[in-house]
Amino acid sequence: MLLMEKVAILNRQNETFALAMIIESKGSTPQHVGKMIVYRDGTIEGTVGGGLAEYYIIEESVKAIQDGKSKIVEYKLNKHAKDGIQMNCGGTLRVFIEVYKSRPELVLCGAGHLGHALAKLADFLEIPYCIVDDRVGYCTKERFPNATNLYVNEDIEKALLAADLNENSYVVIVTKDGDDIVLKTALQFPIAYVGMVASKRKVITIFEKLKSEGVTEEQLEQVHSPIGLEMGSETTEEIAISIISEIIKVSKENKPMKVKQLS
């Protein structure tokens, strides 16, 4: 597989990685043309010439991934030159490190009217999303043709666990009758966001139930409910807009959630 084909695949899979590419090479260098994929853990595919220069480029790529910013780095491959690295080639190398950041993914727990409205809005905004539900008749490819995945199981906890929640997951709970189960399960993962559509009375009831089951007050404080930005929303579509608006706002803040380990 060509390296750029792998870049396209990783991007479609919503992975985080960097692509390091030689953009200028002067004098004697190990390689004048080269590309290299660098993953968050420092593993690579491809090469920009090997040796000490490549080691430094990998190091800078990992830092760029952590910072979430692309950059250009330059090295003098001459141990006798000022600011040079311990190499004898004598040339100079400039490398562009392009960071590909994974995009937030909506996990829409509930395939009813509001879940459907949220999916249509996500389609318009090109936000990837999956659907979680316990009803086969609702969680279908016909209703959600652009969903990345459909997770349906009569046990909605199993359906949500199959979604493999992570730090890019933005969980919206709009289930028929499984909000408490879904919320408790979601809070056990390092998700970016969780919001639940519920009345004040329902929120109090669910929170008290979950606290009795071992969920901490600190975790519950991270739940967005009432969900969505306050904008006087009334219709299903307006509520969907307020929820997506809140998720966009939270995604810019990028604060990890505190989690409780699965027992």
Side-chain angles (χ1 to χ4, degrees), residues 161-186:
L161 289 173
D164 193 23
L165 302 180
N166 57 61
E167 65 274 9
N168 290 313
S169 300
Y170 288 72
V171 180
V172 179
I173 303 174
V174 288
T175 72
K176 172 174 58 68
D177 55 13
D179 292 358
D180 56 335
I181 298 169
V182 170
L183 180 57
K184 182 181 179 182
T185 304

PDB file of all heavy atoms in Angstrom, residues 161-186:
ATOM      1  N   LEU A 161     -21.673  -0.517  24.981  1.00  0.00           N
ATOM      2  CA  LEU A 161     -20.314  -1.044  25.153  1.00  0.00           C
ATOM      3  C   LEU A 161     -19.687  -1.391  23.811  1.00  0.00           C
ATOM      4  O   LEU A 161     -18.480  -1.233  23.618  1.00  0.00           O
ATOM      5  CB  LEU A 161     -20.340  -2.278  26.061  1.00  0.00           C
ATOM      6  CG  LEU A 161     -20.625  -2.011  27.545  1.00  0.00           C
ATOM      7  CD1 LEU A 161     -20.804  -3.332  28.291  1.00  0.00           C
ATOM      8  CD2 LEU A 161     -19.503  -1.199  28.182  1.00  0.00           C
ATOM      9  N   ALA A 162     -20.497  -1.841  22.868  1.00  0.00           N
ATOM     10  CA  ALA A 162     -19.987  -2.181  21.533  1.00  0.00           C
ATOM     11  C   ALA A 162     -19.495  -0.950  20.789  1.00  0.00           C
ATOM     12  O   ALA A 162     -18.682  -1.055  19.871  1.00  0.00           O
ATOM     13  CB  ALA A 162     -21.068  -2.890  20.722  1.00  0.00           C
ATOM     14  N   ALA A 163     -19.973   0.236  21.197  1.00  0.00           N
ATOM     15  CA  ALA A 163     -19.563   1.477  20.529  1.00  0.00           C
ATOM     16  C   ALA A 163     -18.139   1.879  20.875  1.00  0.00           C
ATOM     17  O   ALA A 163     -17.585   2.793  20.255  1.00  0.00           O
ATOM     18  CB  ALA A 163     -20.530   2.603  20.890  1.00  0.00           C
ATOM     19  N   ASP A 164     -17.522   1.221  21.868  1.00  0.00           N
ATOM     20  CA  ASP A 164     -16.114   1.451  22.209  1.00  0.00           C
ATOM     21  C   ASP A 164     -15.838   2.933  22.463  1.00  0.00           C
ATOM     22  O   ASP A 164     -15.063   3.575  21.755  1.00  0.00           O
ATOM     23  CB  ASP A 164     -15.213   0.919  21.091  1.00  0.00           C
ATOM     24  CG  ASP A 164     -13.750   0.826  21.507  1.00  0.00           C
ATOM     25  OD1 ASP A 164     -13.500   0.748  22.726  1.00  0.00           O
ATOM     26  OD2 ASP A 164     -12.879   0.843  20.628  1.00  0.00           O
ATOM     27  N   LEU A 165     -16.461   3.479  23.494  1.00  0.00           N
ATOM     28  CA  LEU A 165     -16.339   4.897  23.806  1.00  0.00           C
ATOM     29  C   LEU A 165     -14.896   5.291  24.116  1.00  0.00           C
ATOM     30  O   LEU A 165     -14.150   4.518  24.709  1.00  0.00           O
ATOM     31  CB  LEU A 165     -17.224   5.247  25.005  1.00  0.00           C
ATOM     32  CG  LEU A 165     -18.716   4.945  24.868  1.00  0.00           C
ATOM     33  CD1 LEU A 165     -19.453   5.337  26.138  1.00  0.00           C
ATOM     34  CD2 LEU A 165     -19.310   5.653  23.664  1.00  0.00           C
ATOM     35  N   ASN A 166     -14.517   6.502  23.714  1.00  0.00           N
ATOM     36  CA  ASN A 166     -13.150   6.992  23.947  1.00  0.00           C
ATOM     37  C   ASN A 166     -13.159   8.494  24.131  1.00  0.00           C
ATOM     38  O   ASN A 166     -14.221   9.118  24.236  1.00  0.00           O
ATOM     39  CB  ASN A 166     -12.235   6.573  22.788  1.00  0.00           C
ATOM     40  CG  ASN A 166     -12.745   7.073  21.453  1.00  0.00           C
ATOM     41  OD1 ASN A 166     -12.878   8.278  21.228  1.00  0.00           O
ATOM     42  ND2 ASN A 166     -13.064   6.154  20.544  1.00  0.00           N
ATOM     43  N   GLU A 167     -11.967   9.101  24.143  1.00  0.00           N
ATOM     44  CA  GLU A 167     -11.854  10.529  24.436  1.00  0.00           C
ATOM     45  C   GLU A 167     -12.433  11.423  23.343  1.00  0.00           C
ATOM     46  O   GLU A 167     -12.570  12.635  23.534  1.00  0.00           O
ATOM     47  CB  GLU A 167     -10.391  10.908  24.684  1.00  0.00           C
ATOM     48  CG  GLU A 167      -9.466  10.769  23.493  1.00  0.00           C
ATOM     49  CD  GLU A 167      -8.880   9.365  23.334  1.00  0.00           C
ATOM     50  OE1 GLU A 167      -9.323   8.447  24.052  1.00  0.00           O
ATOM     51  OE2 GLU A 167      -7.986   9.194  22.491  1.00  0.00           O
ATOM     52  N   ASN A 168     -12.800  10.857  22.188  1.00  0.00           N
ATOM     53  CA  ASN A 168     -13.427  11.633  21.124  1.00  0.00           C
ATOM     54  C   ASN A 168     -14.943  11.453  21.087  1.00  0.00           C
ATOM     55  O   ASN A 168     -15.606  11.976  20.185  1.00  0.00           O
ATOM     56  CB  ASN A 168     -12.845  11.245  19.762  1.00  0.00           C
ATOM     57  CG  ASN A 168     -11.413  11.706  19.601  1.00  0.00           C
ATOM     58  OD1 ASN A 168     -11.099  12.841  19.906  1.00  0.00           O
ATOM     59  ND2 ASN A 168     -10.543  10.824  19.158  1.00  0.00           N
ATOM     60  N   SER A 169     -15.478  10.697  22.046  1.00  0.00           N
ATOM     61  CA  SER A 169     -16.909  10.401  22.049  1.00  0.00           C
ATOM     62  C   SER A 169     -17.713  11.504  22.735  1.00  0.00           C
ATOM     63  O   SER A 169     -17.404  11.890  23.866  1.00  0.00           O
ATOM     64  CB  SER A 169     -17.175   9.065  22.766  1.00  0.00           C
ATOM     65  OG  SER A 169     -16.504   7.993  22.133  1.00  0.00           O
ATOM     66  N   TYR A 170     -18.738  11.975  22.053  1.00  0.00           N
ATOM     67  CA  TYR A 170     -19.672  12.960  22.599  1.00  0.00           C
ATOM     68  C   TYR A 170     -21.033  12.267  22.682  1.00  0.00           C
ATOM     69  O   TYR A 170     -21.710  12.090  21.673  1.00  0.00           O
ATOM     70  CB  TYR A 170     -19.724  14.205  21.709  1.00  0.00           C
ATOM     71  CG  TYR A 170     -18.466  15.042  21.814  1.00  0.00           C
ATOM     72  CD1 TYR A 170     -17.267  14.609  21.261  1.00  0.00           C
ATOM     73  CD2 TYR A 170     -18.471  16.253  22.495  1.00  0.00           C
ATOM     74  CE1 TYR A 170     -16.101  15.356  21.380  1.00  0.00           C
ATOM     75  CE2 TYR A 170     -17.314  17.022  22.608  1.00  0.00           C
ATOM     76  CZ  TYR A 170     -16.142  16.561  22.053  1.00  0.00           C
ATOM     77  OH  TYR A 170     -14.986  17.305  22.172  1.00  0.00           O
ATOM     78  N   VAL A 171     -21.389  11.843  23.880  1.00  0.00           N
ATOM     79  CA  VAL A 171     -22.544  10.980  24.086  1.00  0.00           C
ATOM     80  C   VAL A 171     -23.787  11.823  24.361  1.00  0.00           C
ATOM     81  O   VAL A 171     -23.806  12.646  25.282  1.00  0.00           O
ATOM     82  CB  VAL A 171     -22.298  10.000  25.254  1.00  0.00           C
ATOM     83  CG1 VAL A 171     -23.510   9.097  25.456  1.00  0.00           C
ATOM     84  CG2 VAL A 171     -21.042   9.167  25.002  1.00  0.00           C
ATOM     85  N   VAL A 172     -24.817  11.606  23.557  1.00  0.00           N
ATOM     86  CA  VAL A 172     -26.104  12.289  23.743  1.00  0.00           C
ATOM     87  C   VAL A 172     -27.143  11.228  24.083  1.00  0.00           C
ATOM     88  O   VAL A 172     -27.366  10.295  23.308  1.00  0.00           O
ATOM     89  CB  VAL A 172     -26.519  13.060  22.473  1.00  0.00           C
ATOM     90  CG1 VAL A 172     -27.871  13.738  22.687  1.00  0.00           C
ATOM     91  CG2 VAL A 172     -25.463  14.084  22.099  1.00  0.00           C
ATOM     92  N   ILE A 173     -27.775  11.362  25.248  1.00  0.00           N
ATOM     93  CA  ILE A 173     -28.708  10.342  25.738  1.00  0.00           C
ATOM     94  C   ILE A 173     -30.139  10.805  25.509  1.00  0.00           C
ATOM     95  O   ILE A 173     -30.620  11.739  26.161  1.00  0.00           O
ATOM     96  CB  ILE A 173     -28.458  10.051  27.225  1.00  0.00           C
ATOM     97  CG1 ILE A 173     -26.993   9.621  27.433  1.00  0.00           C
ATOM     98  CG2 ILE A 173     -29.417   8.982  27.736  1.00  0.00           C
ATOM     99  CD1 ILE A 173     -26.606   9.448  28.891  1.00  0.00           C
ATOM    100  N   VAL A 174     -30.805  10.153  24.577  1.00  0.00           N
ATOM    101  CA  VAL A 174     -32.210  10.455  24.253  1.00  0.00           C
ATOM    102  C   VAL A 174     -32.959   9.132  24.057  1.00  0.00           C
ATOM    103  O   VAL A 174     -33.683   8.948  23.085  1.00  0.00           O
ATOM    104  CB  VAL A 174     -32.328  11.349  22.995  1.00  0.00           C
ATOM    105  CG1 VAL A 174     -31.869  12.755  23.286  1.00  0.00           C
ATOM    106  CG2 VAL A 174     -31.512  10.770  21.822  1.00  0.00           C
ATOM    107  N   THR A 175     -32.790   8.207  25.001  1.00  0.00           N
ATOM    108  CA  THR A 175     -33.362   6.871  24.851  1.00  0.00           C
ATOM    109  C   THR A 175     -34.851   6.856  25.186  1.00  0.00           C
ATOM    110  O   THR A 175     -35.397   7.805  25.759  1.00  0.00           O
ATOM    111  CB  THR A 175     -32.654   5.857  25.759  1.00  0.00           C
ATOM    112  OG1 THR A 175     -33.024   6.098  27.124  1.00  0.00           O
ATOM    113  CG2 THR A 175     -31.146   5.947  25.622  1.00  0.00           C
ATOM    114  N   LYS A 176     -35.458   5.731  24.868  1.00  0.00           N
ATOM    115  CA  LYS A 176     -36.882   5.536  25.178  1.00  0.00           C
ATOM    116  C   LYS A 176     -37.090   5.410  26.678  1.00  0.00           C
ATOM    117  O   LYS A 176     -37.931   6.095  27.255  1.00  0.00           O
ATOM    118  CB  LYS A 176     -37.391   4.281  24.442  1.00  0.00           C
ATOM    119  CG  LYS A 176     -38.803   3.828  24.817  1.00  0.00           C
ATOM    120  CD  LYS A 176     -39.257   2.679  23.941  1.00  0.00           C
ATOM    121  CE  LYS A 176     -38.324   1.473  24.034  1.00  0.00           C
ATOM    122  NZ  LYS A 176     -38.350   0.795  25.353  1.00  0.00           N
ATOM    123  N   ASP A 177     -36.286   4.545  27.321  1.00  0.00           N
ATOM    124  CA  ASP A 177     -36.460   4.332  28.769  1.00  0.00           C
ATOM    125  C   ASP A 177     -35.197   3.791  29.441  1.00  0.00           C
ATOM    126  O   ASP A 177     -35.278   3.209  30.520  1.00  0.00           O
ATOM    127  CB  ASP A 177     -37.630   3.376  29.042  1.00  0.00           C
ATOM    128  CG  ASP A 177     -37.501   2.042  28.315  1.00  0.00           C
ATOM    129  OD1 ASP A 177     -36.396   1.753  27.791  1.00  0.00           O
ATOM    130  OD2 ASP A 177     -38.484   1.294  28.252  1.00  0.00           O
ATOM    131  N   GLY A 178     -34.033   4.012  28.807  1.00  0.00           N
ATOM    132  CA  GLY A 178     -32.805   3.458  29.362  1.00  0.00           C
ATOM    133  C   GLY A 178     -31.757   4.490  29.728  1.00  0.00           C
ATOM    134  O   GLY A 178     -30.557   4.192  29.762  1.00  0.00           O
ATOM    135  N   ASP A 179     -32.213   5.727  30.042  1.00  0.00           N
ATOM    136  CA  ASP A 179     -31.268   6.809  30.316  1.00  0.00           C
ATOM    137  C   ASP A 179     -30.313   6.482  31.457  1.00  0.00           C
ATOM    138  O   ASP A 179     -29.109   6.767  31.384  1.00  0.00           O
ATOM    139  CB  ASP A 179     -32.014   8.102  30.642  1.00  0.00           C
ATOM    140  CG  ASP A 179     -32.752   8.669  29.444  1.00  0.00           C
ATOM    141  OD1 ASP A 179     -32.651   8.089  28.351  1.00  0.00           O
ATOM    142  OD2 ASP A 179     -33.428   9.702  29.601  1.00  0.00           O
ATOM    143  N   ASP A 180     -30.825   5.923  32.543  1.00  0.00           N
ATOM    144  CA  ASP A 180     -29.983   5.637  33.712  1.00  0.00           C
ATOM    145  C   ASP A 180     -28.910   4.611  33.387  1.00  0.00           C
ATOM    146  O   ASP A 180     -27.740   4.768  33.768  1.00  0.00           O
ATOM    147  CB  ASP A 180     -30.838   5.165  34.891  1.00  0.00           C
ATOM    148  CG  ASP A 180     -31.700   3.958  34.552  1.00  0.00           C
ATOM    149  OD1 ASP A 180     -32.029   3.762  33.360  1.00  0.00           O
ATOM    150  OD2 ASP A 180     -32.045   3.209  35.476  1.00  0.00           O
ATOM    151  N   ILE A 181     -29.266   3.575  32.635  1.00  0.00           N
ATOM    152  CA  ILE A 181     -28.301   2.528  32.265  1.00  0.00           C
ATOM    153  C   ILE A 181     -27.224   3.100  31.351  1.00  0.00           C
ATOM    154  O   ILE A 181     -26.029   2.866  31.546  1.00  0.00           O
ATOM    155  CB  ILE A 181     -29.024   1.360  31.563  1.00  0.00           C
ATOM    156  CG1 ILE A 181     -30.040   0.713  32.508  1.00  0.00           C
ATOM    157  CG2 ILE A 181     -28.025   0.313  31.058  1.00  0.00           C
ATOM    158  CD1 ILE A 181     -30.973  -0.262  31.829  1.00  0.00           C
ATOM    159  N   VAL A 182     -27.655   3.884  30.376  1.00  0.00           N
ATOM    160  CA  VAL A 182     -26.714   4.458  29.415  1.00  0.00           C
ATOM    161  C   VAL A 182     -25.784   5.447  30.107  1.00  0.00           C
ATOM    162  O   VAL A 182     -24.563   5.442  29.872  1.00  0.00           O
ATOM    163  CB  VAL A 182     -27.474   5.143  28.261  1.00  0.00           C
ATOM    164  CG1 VAL A 182     -26.522   5.960  27.396  1.00  0.00           C
ATOM    165  CG2 VAL A 182     -28.185   4.096  27.414  1.00  0.00           C
ATOM    166  N   LEU A 183     -26.324   6.282  30.972  1.00  0.00           N
ATOM    167  CA  LEU A 183     -25.491   7.273  31.658  1.00  0.00           C
ATOM    168  C   LEU A 183     -24.457   6.600  32.556  1.00  0.00           C
ATOM    169  O   LEU A 183     -23.274   6.969  32.530  1.00  0.00           O
ATOM    170  CB  LEU A 183     -26.364   8.211  32.485  1.00  0.00           C
ATOM    171  CG  LEU A 183     -25.619   9.311  33.254  1.00  0.00           C
ATOM    172  CD1 LEU A 183     -24.791  10.175  32.307  1.00  0.00           C
ATOM    173  CD2 LEU A 183     -26.591  10.171  34.045  1.00  0.00           C
ATOM    174  N   LYS A 184     -24.874   5.624  33.323  1.00  0.00           N
ATOM    175  CA  LYS A 184     -23.934   4.927  34.206  1.00  0.00           C
ATOM    176  C   LYS A 184     -22.811   4.269  33.403  1.00  0.00           C
ATOM    177  O   LYS A 184     -21.632   4.336  33.765  1.00  0.00           O
ATOM    178  CB  LYS A 184     -24.663   3.870  35.035  1.00  0.00           C
ATOM    179  CG  LYS A 184     -23.740   3.138  36.006  1.00  0.00           C
ATOM    180  CD  LYS A 184     -24.488   2.075  36.803  1.00  0.00           C
ATOM    181  CE  LYS A 184     -23.546   1.349  37.750  1.00  0.00           C
ATOM    182  NZ  LYS A 184     -24.245   0.273  38.514  1.00  0.00           N
ATOM    183  N   THR A 185     -23.170   3.668  32.281  1.00  0.00           N
ATOM    184  CA  THR A 185     -22.166   3.002  31.435  1.00  0.00           C
ATOM    185  C   THR A 185     -21.219   4.024  30.816  1.00  0.00           C
ATOM    186  O   THR A 185     -19.998   3.844  30.831  1.00  0.00           O
ATOM    187  CB  THR A 185     -22.866   2.198  30.320  1.00  0.00           C
ATOM    188  OG1 THR A 185     -23.794   1.282  30.910  1.00  0.00           O
ATOM    189  CG2 THR A 185     -21.851   1.419  29.491  1.00  0.00           C
ATOM    190  N   ALA A 186     -21.771   5.119  30.304  1.00  0.00           N
ATOM    191  CA  ALA A 186     -20.942   6.134  29.640  1.00  0.00           C
ATOM    192  C   ALA A 186     -19.939   6.759  30.591  1.00  0.00           C
ATOM    193  O   ALA A 186     -18.799   7.058  30.202  1.00  0.00           O
ATOM    194  CB  ALA A 186     -21.842   7.213  29.038  1.00  0.00           C
TER     195      ALA A 186
END
